[in-house]
Amino acid sequence: MFEVRRKSDVPLTEQIVREISERIQTGMLASQTQLPSVRTLANRLGVSLVTVVQAYRVLEQRGFVERIQGKGTYVRTRTRTPEQLQPTAPHQRFDWQLLLADYLPRAAVFRQHTESVDETPLKLSMAALCPSLSAASLPADLYTSIVQMPAMLTEYGPVEGLPSLRARLAVEFREAGLAVDVDEIFITNGVQQAIDIVARTFLGPGDVVVVEAPTYAGALDVFRACGANVISIPVDDQGLRTDLLLRQCDHKPPKLIYTMPAFHNPTSVVMSQQRRRALLDIATSYQCLILEDDSFSDCSFGVAVPPPLRADDDGGHVVYVRGFSKVFLPGCRLAAVVASGSVRNRLVAAKSVSDLGSPLITQRLVEHCLMDSGRRRRIEKIVNALRIKRDLALQTLAEHAPPGVTWNFPDGGYNLWVTLPDHVNADVLLVEAMRKGISFLPGSACYNGDLVYHHLRISYSYLEDDELVRAVRALCLLMSEAVTGQSRPFMPVI
Amino acid sequence: MFEVRRKSDVPLTEQIVREISERIQTGMLASQTQLPSVRTLANRLGVSLVTVVQAYRVLEQRGFVERIQGKGTYVRTRTRTPEQLQPTAPHQRFDWQLLLADYLPRAAVFRQHTESVDETPLKLSMAALCPSLSAASLPADLYTSIVQMPAMLTEYGPVEGLPSLRARLAVEFREAGLAVDVDEIFITNGVQQAIDIVARTFLGPGDVVVVEAPTYAGALDVFRACGANVISIPVDDQGLRTDLLLRQCDHKPPKLIYTMPAFHNPTSVVMSQQRRRALLDIATSYQCLILEDDSFSDCSFGVAVPPPLRADDDGGHVVYVRGFSKVFLPGCRLAAVVASGSVRNRLVAAKSVSDLGSPLITQRLVEHCLMDSGRRRRIEKIVNALRIKRDLALQTLAEHAPPGVTWNFPDGGYNLWVTLPDHVNADVLLVEAMRKGISFLPGSACYNGDLVYHHLRISYSYLEDDELVRAVRALCLLMSEAVTGQSRPFMPVI
């Protein structure tokens, strides 16, 4: 199922524990799956029996697996009640598969998505517009626009994306102070694919990539899947701590820096002008790439957001990604990437390897929305509605959150970042919350392997106003219980 | 731009030549790009100046680059006329980018796509339906079906794909003799993404993957990008030579075998029952995965195609990919993947890392096409029209192809595989053909690094009947000239 690294500083036992527990936590190993026998795994990995026995023992102690005398070792059920364990594994024929090495240590976004979509009605986890706002984001003649273009369905398009959409985006970007050439723009399936394409092109095993701590969970999944050496640099109220980044560069410069300068996810912080300049200077000095993820800059509650980093980049250091899924047409899952020189060529080649090009019809729909004359007005309405939601969430927290819980004040975006007292584990809180029908994003998903469990992200965007208040209030009640009662902060939640 | 491998059997000079020439051939290094200075590249790669000087000399000898005294080394222009070289590089600011290592040695599909779409009217290169057939593939009420579902545009869907589409596919597959559970099906952005997801999950540097020779160029791009050790096993008129595969397994078993048993691309061969059984036995004995790419099985001109390999796989060895882009809705770019056990879980996790899920609207459109009562009749019509196109292409070849040129007789699919005399280079022929407005797929794109230049693939599907005849006739004329006149078989074409 994986390989051990003999030259690593991490002991072999711990490597095995980490690899297996991560696969259990992110749902790649389902509950009740039987693990390989000690002998089989030891042979497969080329380690001693003792190492595997120790690893299985640690996994059992940490609550990930259950040993059943005379039968074997099984992944524990999510409900955490050992008596529900059914050791009659339904997929015995597939046991050999567990020994197949894979290269995907993490899929936190997948787990979060699956959990929140399927199981809970009150989704504080969804950083997306609520259905009523989402519907209001569409031009009235959108459907007519499709009906008039049957060719969109029957033709392959260019790998780079629909030429008319790219031309429109060039105009749009120029109006926003970002001078780009049409040839520098290509289309991807949302921000996630853009991150993935940049990472798979430029990050290989051991390459250093700097991420913000906390950061977007989906980006961590990608960087870890490349085998990159992920270094976390903290974010404060001015954005990425460039002073600490500089120290990292003096030690070992990164090849790529991944940042969200406008309404950072999950903290909603806007990076200051000073930090932006420092970041560009660092990229130029150390000849590294910056991946600028801009999904939320449209969504400001009144503050002026500086132009993208890319606007001040004249050396081709910044790969700028603009998501279109947030303020309109999430169902289209599209993003635009801006990149220059050979970096652009290599990224477009990677897009062709990934999927040959995004669908024409969704590109045409986004183009239609961009061209629509009522667009600015509609976005304004949506942003106003979001500001009201933010205020409702803040007010509810102020009234009901227990002492010791703090949160920030977002000037835009969809998310609130909540800090619990150190001893409270948000992963455990999430299990309780989901029993009450409430989901949120546990902060641990936004950190790379650090044991940071006392944060959580609330998205105020997805619930209608009354549901939002109800959900935040109920969450406050659970937080109160956790703050006073909880006593097992580092128990894993599977 | 890349790293050299000191432990490789390939000499350092040759490694540098290969990496750079491949980037030039696949368009990642544009013509007129200035290469790094000898000193800079030597420092960057940690090799001697002599090694780089030698490499640049070989690249010049092979026609890839041009040295300009006192200015530097430049990628030659595609037109191959040195006088057109403009050494005033437009992107001098981006020179530092050339030293950025990347992990994408090949993007043949991208190059092919860009060339054929943009530059030639007579596309014998496009394995896609011609516009008139494509339009005929759509149900009359398709657009109405979208208009009735605005939520498709505003909602995120599950990573695995639209539940109703997956349920429909389960029924469909069962009717075709492939018993699958809904949970075993997930949706990707076409076959290309499915191949990519399997490869990135299970193939790492040095892992052995077996491909058919020839094979689909886009799959080679993917496997090479993973750093996998790609082993080619020939295809004959019964399909993959399983006897040779078995010999490879005894030497070093592959982790993955990529095969197209139904109307193989590019040769259109159908794998025999005996070979299918042998292949499944091998996968079981050596515990490897089979990636079964099925894009054309719908498209048989009368012969009975055996059920997919997956139908006889009870050990979870086969990952089955069914493309929907060929017989209907290419613009939707969707495929379904069938996989079992932990392999399925890991692949869905990889899909989430790639893009969080395919768009809902295109999934709904494909579902609508599948549900439509007139579908079978429409597919039948399309297949009949394709058979006529095949016959037209075969007849034109028979009448006009020069002696020494041979081709196969496809019983289905979109492609004819043409073999030129050994001394004729199809890459060179393509340059001539494109000057006359004709494109085809040069066979070299379908081989992994082997110097096989005397094949080409003709897709008879994309041109209307009269254009098809005109294009094949013109191509025959060019082949005649090449057979008698051409004398530089191994000159690269950039």
Side-chain angles (χ1 to χ4, degrees), chain A residues 93 96-97 100-103 143 150 153-154 156 189 192 196 200-201 207 255 314-316 330-331 333 346 353, chain B residues 93 96-97 100-103 143 150 153 156 189 192 196 200-201 207 255 314-316 330-331 333 346 353:
Chain A
R93 302 173 285 147
W96 71 275
Q97 291 182 342
L100 268 176
D102 68 54
Y103 299 89
Y143 302 110
L153 291 176
T154 54
Y156 286 103
N189 301 329
Q192 183 73 26
D196 187 43
R200 67 188 312 179
T201 305
D207 284 340
K255 198 160 165 201
D314 48 14
R333 289 216 184 282
R346 288 185 267 182
V353 170
Chain B
R93 301 173 286 147
W96 71 276
Q97 291 181 344
L100 269 175
D102 68 53
Y103 299 90
Y143 302 110
L153 292 175
Y156 287 103
N189 301 328
Q192 183 73 27
D196 187 42
R200 67 188 312 182
T201 304
D207 284 341
K255 198 162 164 199
D314 50 12
R333 287 216 183 284
R346 288 184 268 183
V353 170

Side-chain angles (χ1 to χ4, degrees), chain A residues 7-57:
Chain A
K7 287 185 186 161
S8 168
D9 299 337
V10 181
L12 291 178
T13 302
E14 184 58 24
Q15 285 186 39
I16 298 170
V17 169
R18 279 192 202 173
E19 294 282 349
I20 294 180
S21 63
E22 207 152 49
R23 281 167 174 76
I24 293 173
Q25 283 190 294
T26 57
M28 287 200 273
L29 282 179
S31 64
Q32 303 183 26
T33 302
Q34 183 170 13
L35 294 187
S37 73
V38 168
R39 183 171 305 277
T40 311
L41 189 58
N43 279 341
R44 177 65 183 69
L45 298 177
V47 300
S48 73
L49 292 176
V50 176
T51 304
V52 176
V53 167
Q54 277 177 344
Y56 278 14
R57 195 172 297 147

Side-chain angles (χ1 to χ4, degrees), chain B residues 395-444:
Chain B
Q395 192 186 329
T396 312
L397 279 172
E399 286 169 11
H400 298 278
V405 174
T406 58
W407 53 89
N408 66 345
F409 183 92
D411 288 317
Y414 292 12
N415 302 311
L416 266 172
W417 186 240
V418 177
T419 303
L420 304 168
D422 280 1
H423 72 283
V424 181
N425 183 333
D427 287 52
V428 175
L429 185 67
L430 179 61
V431 175
E432 296 301 320
M434 282 175 58
R435 285 196 187 127
K436 310 269 182 197
I438 303 164
S439 63
F440 57 79
L441 181 71
S444 60

Side-chain angles (χ1 to χ4, degrees), chain A residues 139-155 162 360-361 364-365 367-368 371, chain B residues 135 138 140 142-144 146-147 361 365:
Chain A
D141 61 345
L142 184 61
Y143 302 110
T144 333
S145 81
I146 317 175
V147 177
Q148 285 161 353
M149 276 174 296
M152 290 289 127
L153 291 176
T154 54
E155 283 179 6
L162 197 62
L360 285 174
I361 186 167
R364 183 62 191 90
L365 288 168
E367 185 190 347
H368 188 79
M371 302 290 283
Chain B
L138 303 179
L142 185 61
Y143 302 110
T144 333
I146 316 175
V147 178
I361 186 167
L365 288 168

